[in-house]
Amino acid sequence: MKESLKIFAGDLKNSFKDLLPIIIVVALFQGLIIQTVPENLISIVIGLSIVAVGLALFIRGLELGIFPIGEGLAVDFARKGSVFWLLTFAFTIGFSTTVAEPALIAIADKAALISHGLVDAFWLRMTVAFSVGFAIAMGTLRILLGHPIAYYIISGYILVVIVTFFAPKEIIGLAYDSGGVTTSTVTVPLVAALGIGLASSIKGRNPAIDGFGLIAFASLTPMIFVQVYGIIVYNFMDAPSTLQTVTATITEHHKTVTYTFSAFETFMELIGVIKDVAPILIVIFFFQYIIIKKPVAHLHKIVTGIIMVILGLYAFIVGLEMGLFPIGETIAFQLTEMKNNLLIYLFAFLIGFSTTMAEPALLAIAIKAEEISEGNIKQNILRMVVALGVAIGIGLGSYRIVAGDPIHYYIVVGYIFVIIFTYFSPKYIVPIAYDSGGVTTSTVTVPLVAALGLGLAENIEGRNPLIDGFGLIAFASLFPMLTVMGYGIYATYKLKKESS
């Protein structure tokens, strides 16, 4: 018990350290630039404290429950030798977790509202969920076959670019963002554990080179599927007449958004988190007991870990709503009112960096990367390099909205650089770099970045929220790939220089 409390105290200390960049950015902009004290300061402080506790619980729960069960399933499937059931499991995990993904539900609802019902929220979610299921299954097959990931990913990016030229401009930003919002805080650790467990149990596979990459597939395929969906919808369907008059009002600009919590609302938040996690648990235990027909080892530990993940994620979300989202939305609006573009870019850059450092999904991947690489990849350095990529991406994406440039010019050039960097990067870093693009856009980053993009598009004259407001998440997914591979190229060069 004493040892457990000591470990948790260490996790809590690290959580506060992870949140420090967000606190500094918000305090800096609120105090020095906007020069006002937030009305709900006490609520913000309490909210951020709850976030820290939630993050600590979540990480400990991953170590106890999600990582062991994911790796255990992968090993059992490898022993069973049934490719069909392994690929079915991979598809089901991808599909079931994506359908319940809160970030995707939020983006789909906004897309339906802004497109006056032409983009159907339910069918958009189904399209994305099917594409993620397909992606996880294809990524699993790649591990089984031992093919280099670069061939698949580069071919996928070329296909994205080709489809972009045929897709209606209203769907492009949304399609690119769909790739970023699919990889949830719970899905990422489980999928990573599945890939690494599979690569570890198959002879001739390297966990670092072959184990990572499943998340990259899950971020890539929705871009293709959603653009194809957009081509069908915009060419062959009409908006429902009842929704023609709907006007898109995404944020309340004129006042600070305050969040109040009743006991009932708090309970419903918890039910919501359990509903998000439930499909994953149903799939896991169905395959464990019905297909593999083997009891879960150390079940009490796994159950404890899962409960900690649920409670941690719940506390994290409640804390964000109390402490971070209201202040983030208010600052974004106040900056657009000040008509100073440089301040917008600076805020976008710093909020991109700070939110990524606090992102639980990235932390989970970084822990695994350090473990698998036997310390060659340091988790803190990896997270900082990824956060730098997100910061550059969101800063540049904000400039794109202000300038009114078409998104695909930036994204296509970015993919060309990804292909070039892939050629020069050391093999071990490439799959981790590809995965880094998917894990950056999750619980913390998506709502803040989506609010920033849509807020800018609504406040700047001549911008269309549907065409210009979406797309920031795509920038946040693309640039970490470049910074992580750039870090790998630099580290290899430095090592060669020192040894010569």
Side-chain angles (χ1 to χ4, degrees), residues 1-11 60:
M1 184 68 181
K2 208 174 180 181
E3 187 63 34
S4 298
L5 284 171
K6 198 177 172 184
I7 292 167
F8 184 73
D11 289 338
R60 192 48 37 209

Side-chain angles (χ1 to χ4, degrees), residues 73-350:
L73 270 168
V75 170
D76 288 336
F77 273 121
R79 283 188 188 141
K80 193 176 174 68
S82 172
V83 174
F84 171 79
W85 282 116
L86 177 58
L87 296 184
T88 304
F89 173 70
F91 176 87
T92 314
I93 277 287
F95 184 90
S96 62
T97 54
T98 307
V99 162
E101 174 53 45
L104 176 61
I105 293 167
I107 291 288
D109 288 345
K110 281 182 179 174
L113 188 68
I114 297 169
S115 68
H116 305 301
L118 193 57
V119 173
D120 182 88
F122 173 79
W123 285 111
L124 179 63
R125 282 170 59 202
M126 287 296 129
T127 302
V128 174
F130 181 83
S131 70
V132 173
F134 174 77
I136 305 288
M138 188 170 67
T140 304
L141 185 64
R142 177 200 71 88
I143 296 171
L144 293 174
L145 298 172
H147 293 165
I149 189 172
Y151 297 164
Y152 287 76
I153 298 294
I154 290 169
S155 301
Y157 286 147
I158 291 166
L159 196 54
V160 168
V161 172
I162 292 167
V163 175
T164 297
F165 284 100
F166 295 96
K169 61 184 179 180
E170 292 87 354
I171 205 79
I172 293 169
L174 178 63
Y176 288 164
D177 275 1
S178 299
V181 299
T182 52
T183 40
S184 79
T185 312
V186 183
T187 319
V188 164
L190 183 64
V191 168
L194 175 70
I196 290 160
L198 201 56
S200 303
S201 58
I202 298 172
K203 201 178 176 185
R205 300 287 174 272
N206 181 324
I209 295 170
D210 300 302
F212 289 97
L214 286 181
I215 296 150
F217 280 89
S219 299
L220 171 63
T221 50
M223 299 187 215
I224 300 165
F225 280 61
V226 171
Q227 287 191 97
V228 171
Y229 168 74
I231 291 167
I232 295 164
V233 163
Y234 276 87
N235 286 305
F236 304 106
M237 293 185 187
D238 298 315
S241 56
T242 52
L243 288 169
Q244 288 287 2
T245 56
V246 173
T247 54
T249 309
I250 303 302
T251 51
E252 294 179 76
H253 299 313
H254 58 280
K255 61 181 180 179
T256 302
V257 182
T258 54
Y259 292 78
T260 54
F261 292 90
S262 66
F264 177 73
E265 284 171 339
T266 307
F267 176 71
M268 289 313 291
E269 286 271 10
L270 181 58
I271 295 298
V273 173
I274 292 168
K275 261 166 63 184
D276 295 339
V277 177
I280 303 172
L281 300 182
I282 291 164
V283 170
I284 285 171
F285 287 108
F286 172 80
F287 276 87
Q288 184 73 47
Y289 286 99
I290 307 298
I291 306 303
I292 292 169
K293 295 176 183 170
K294 182 183 166 187
V296 177
H298 311 294
L299 184 62
H300 66 287
K301 258 191 175 183
I302 301 289
V303 170
T304 306
I306 289 166
I307 291 167
M308 286 175 85
V309 163
I310 290 168
L311 292 175
L313 199 52
Y314 163 67
F316 193 84
I317 290 163
V318 168
L320 284 181
E321 287 179 350
M322 279 180 71
L324 190 61
F325 294 162
I327 194 90
E329 287 169 11
T330 308
I331 290 173
F333 168 64
Q334 286 167 331
L335 288 174
T336 55
E337 289 283 283
M338 290 168 81
K339 308 289 182 192
N340 186 329
N341 291 343
L342 284 176
L343 285 179
I344 292 171
Y345 307 147
L346 181 63
F347 178 71
F349 180 92
L350 293 175

Side-chain angles (χ1 to χ4, degrees), residues 356-374:
T356 306
M357 286 299 289
E359 192 60 76
L362 174 60
L363 187 53
I365 282 291
I367 290 167
K368 269 291 159 215
E370 183 169 19
E371 183 190 311
I372 295 302
S373 67
E374 294 173 350

Side-chain angles (χ1 to χ4, degrees), residues 9-20:
D11 289 338
L12 196 58
K13 186 183 168 187
N14 290 333
S15 296
F16 275 108
K17 213 160 71 180
D18 294 336
L19 287 174
L20 196 59

